[in-house]
Amino acid sequence: MTGLKRSKAKRVAAGAPAVAASLKHLAEHPGIVRGSRILARLNQFDGFDCPSCAWPDPDDRRAAAEFCENGVKAVASETTAKQITSEFFEKFTVSELSRKSDYWLEQQGRLVEPMVLREGAENYEGISWREAFALLGKELNQLNSPDEAVFYTSGRANNEAAFLYQLFVRQFGTNNLPDSSNMCHESSEAALKATIGVGKGTVSLTDFDHAEAIFLFGQNPGTNHPRMLSALRSSVRNGATIVAINPLKEAGLLGFAHPQEIGGLLGRTTSLASFYLQVRVNGDHALLKGLCKAVLEAEDESPSKVLDHAFIERFTTGFVSFREKIQKLKWESLTAVSGVPKALIEKAAEVAIRSRATISCWAMGLTQHKNAVPTIQEIVNFHLLLGNLGRHGAGLCPVQGHSNVQGARTVGICGRMSRDFLDGLGGHFGFDPPAHDGFDTVSAIQALYEGRAKVFVALGGNLLSAGPDTCFTAEALTRCRLTVQVSTKLNRSHLITGRTALILPCLGRTEADLQRSGLQFVTTENSMSVVQMSRGTLEPASDKLLSECAIVSQLARATLGDRSTVDWEWLLADYDRIRDAIEKVIPGFERYNERVRRPGGFRLPNPVRERDFSGIGGLPFSLSTH
């Protein structure tokens, strides 16, 4: 017996079941009364940013319940009364914990004191912060080269901590800064930079109110970012047509019952997707070529009435070659590879042709394929044909997962930052950052496996479970001299370790961060380039917890000592000083401390939104042959 059960696929998402599940999460962890008070500050102008996902909040208004079931689950987990102390690790060996489920591990509560697994030991034991930093600093300084260390970052790290982290790593002497984005939207950034010159999406949340067509590629918003369903419902009510492209029909797009409205609680649903293109797995590239072919054939039938010739002539290059290439493609081949009949592809193309403002969204159903980059470039081509860039209600929308994965990348978490960034960083802090490329996540795992890297430090995340090959990643981690995890909750990465391992517990988003100058706030950047403040107010789960900024600062001091040109204690005392430094180094953050204190924060510049393509000399039509 496998224990597996078959049931009918769901055709409705959210509604009363989502409310019931949310209440269950609250009851199990912070309690209904305390949990409700906490949720009243979630995603509010004066509250804290949800750690669940990067879907944006409205710029000018916030609902009383500006969250979804996933957000409730994340906040309830963080604010649980359960705690993991040294007594817990005396009870369970690492081997015994390794046989527990991921769910069981997460349910044990908050990590509230630093722990060490010494070489040859079977149990973690408590360790002072001072000894932990001394141990880590010693291991780093004994490496033959700074490049023998890997410094990983989760997308949940805030801007201030991420900036300090990359500053420390580059002062240490390496660019080995892999992050969770390497495994989710790296292909989006590569494809967009090569085509539109900016590795981020081009739309704002208000664009969804003005879109006439929305194409959703390879994503399940009902499960992964449920608040997107509210935006899609508003789009549909405003007259937009939604076309969903995915091998499976997703419940949230078939029927959405808004859990914050009486009708939704009573089971009334809104059908979001007008129709589905059930593409074969990895058939999206062929499908997109088919969409472009259908648009070009419609132009042939009605010359000068379909394509946006003015946009193409003014802003693009390579159109003639692209058109010739697409025209040579055979429909038989496109439909066979995509798995979608020609008639359905043409029907979807008609939606785009009728629309004066089209948004295309995509997530990991596209980004995880071997040919993800040319596929996403084909989405760009689809938009170039009809001029759907830099137009209100139109544009490109890669939907990020982790709540600040985009912000961490903006402030320097990447092994291949631009020369301008490195020059600005070095000029402001008075040192020469390393110029050679660092490891991304895949090459970092390979280096750990081969022994070319010996120390692994993670600012959040669960690399073992998130890595592309779990067994290979596990073997790589066990070959380290030292593995270090900065975390709030127990996960499997704490159990598959190097010869020595450290767990460094940090504050959560909900908790008050008190430094020498007083109560601090941090900032995050959502998937639509809005930077806003996040201020926790709850009493920390333990007086032994440190903020991420404090952990990075003390690690830097313990490792670099007098070699550092940075006054780490001065920066840590007041996070406004960290933001002042970010402003000096990174364009777009002018008057950072002033603007981020405004309700809703501010949007980073995106020249594509203004149809400014001067930096790349015109948008190229992709000529990939994949």
Side-chain angles (χ1 to χ4, degrees), residues 182-220:
N182 294 146
M183 297 177 289
C184 54
H185 273 281
E186 194 71 34
S187 50
S188 295
E189 180 172 355
L192 295 178
K193 279 190 173 180
T195 49
I196 65 174
V198 178
K200 300 180 180 182
T202 69
V203 301
S204 68
L205 190 57
T206 57
D207 283 319
F208 281 79
D209 292 330
H210 301 278
E212 296 183 9
I214 300 173
F215 284 71
L216 305 178
F217 294 89
Q219 64 176 133
N220 179 4

Side-chain angles (χ1 to χ4, degrees), residues 26-253:
L26 292 182
E28 288 180 351
H29 294 287
I32 297 294
V33 176
R34 178 171 176 261
S36 297
R37 288 199 298 266
I38 296 168
L39 291 178
R41 293 182 52 80
L42 177 57
N43 291 327
Q44 299 301 316
F45 290 130
D46 60 345
F48 61 93
D49 190 36
C50 182
S52 177
C53 78
W55 187 254
D57 309 305
D59 292 337
D60 56 348
R61 66 191 187 284
R62 298 289 163 89
E66 195 64 63
F67 50 79
C68 66
E69 180 186 342
N70 288 355
V72 174
K73 180 179 179 181
V75 170
S77 177
E78 183 175 295
T79 58
T80 181
K82 297 178 182 178
Q83 296 188 351
I84 296 178
T85 63
S86 54
E87 286 76 15
F88 172 88
F89 287 108
E90 290 175 3
K91 181 179 179 181
F92 295 100
T93 66
V94 169
S95 177
E96 289 171 337
L97 291 171
S98 297
R99 293 192 289 273
K100 302 292 187 179
S101 70
D102 288 354
Y103 175 80
W104 187 92
L105 295 173
E106 202 266 345
Q107 291 299 304
Q108 299 314 298
R110 285 288 299 277
L111 295 160
V112 293
E113 57 181 296
M115 299 287 174
V116 61
L117 180 67
R118 300 189 188 276
E119 185 172 356
E122 295 184 351
N123 298 73
Y124 276 98
E125 62 183 74
I127 186 174
S128 70
W129 279 108
R130 184 170 183 174
E131 185 184 357
F133 289 128
L135 187 159
L136 178 47
K138 180 180 178 180
E139 285 285 349
L140 290 173
N141 285 323
Q142 286 180 342
L143 296 173
N144 294 322
S145 163
D147 290 330
E148 290 184 340
V150 171
F151 298 90
Y152 177 76
T153 312
S154 161
R156 292 188 182 183
N158 58 69
N159 285 343
E160 291 74 12
F163 182 78
L164 290 183
Y165 193 53
Q166 64 82 32
L167 174 60
F168 155 63
V169 171
R170 291 188 163 102
Q171 283 230 320
F172 179 60
T174 184
N175 283 314
N176 287 346
L177 284 158
D179 71 331
S180 55
S181 183
N182 294 146
M183 297 177 289
C184 54
H185 273 281
E186 194 71 34
S187 50
S188 295
E189 180 172 355
L192 295 178
K193 279 190 173 180
T195 49
I196 65 174
V198 178
K200 300 180 180 182
T202 69
V203 301
S204 68
L205 190 57
T206 57
D207 283 319
F208 281 79
D209 292 330
H210 301 278
E212 296 183 9
I214 300 173
F215 284 71
L216 305 178
F217 294 89
Q219 64 176 133
N220 179 4
T223 299
N224 298 318
H225 22 263
R227 285 196 298 152
M228 184 181 183
L229 295 178
S230 297
L232 295 177
R233 188 193 64 161
S234 296
S235 299
V236 169
R237 289 183 172 181
N238 289 334
T241 299
I242 295 179
V243 179
I245 299 95
N246 212 29
L248 296 176
K249 291 184 177 182
E250 304 294 352
L253 299 178

Side-chain angles (χ1 to χ4, degrees), residues 340-373:
V340 180
K342 177 184 176 184
L344 273 181
I345 297 176
E346 290 177 328
K347 183 179 178 182
E350 288 172 5
V351 172
I353 291 169
R354 290 196 305 269
S355 169
R356 292 169 297 176
T358 298
I359 294 174
S360 285
C361 306
W362 66 92
M364 292 174 68
L366 243 59
T367 65
Q368 294 292 284
H369 290 297
K370 184 176 181 179
N371 62 351
V373 171

